[in-house]
Amino acid sequence: MMRLAFGALLGLLAAFPALLALLAAVALHPVVLASVLGVAAWPRIARTVQRWTA
């Protein structure tokens, strides 16, 4: 399923090059980067806090 979604995204980017610039502008925005990093790090942060309080 992920392979299909990735292929569709690459196809869209090849068909509409302007989407690449838009995607890069959105993905490199500091708020978006901070949100993605926070979501990615959340399980590790939660486990660390649980160990502190156990």
Side-chain angles (χ1 to χ4, degrees):
M1 185 67 183
M2 284 297 291
R3 191 177 290 178
L4 181 65
F6 186 67
L9 178 64
L10 284 179
L12 280 174
L13 290 176
F16 302 104
L19 284 177
L20 181 59
L22 179 66
L23 186 63
V26 170
L28 295 178
H29 196 274
V31 173
V32 174
L33 287 175
S35 299
V36 169
L37 289 175
V39 168
W42 183 253
R44 183 181 177 95
I45 294 169
R47 281 193 306 267
T48 302
V49 171
Q50 282 177 350
R51 278 188 258 138
W52 289 345
T53 60

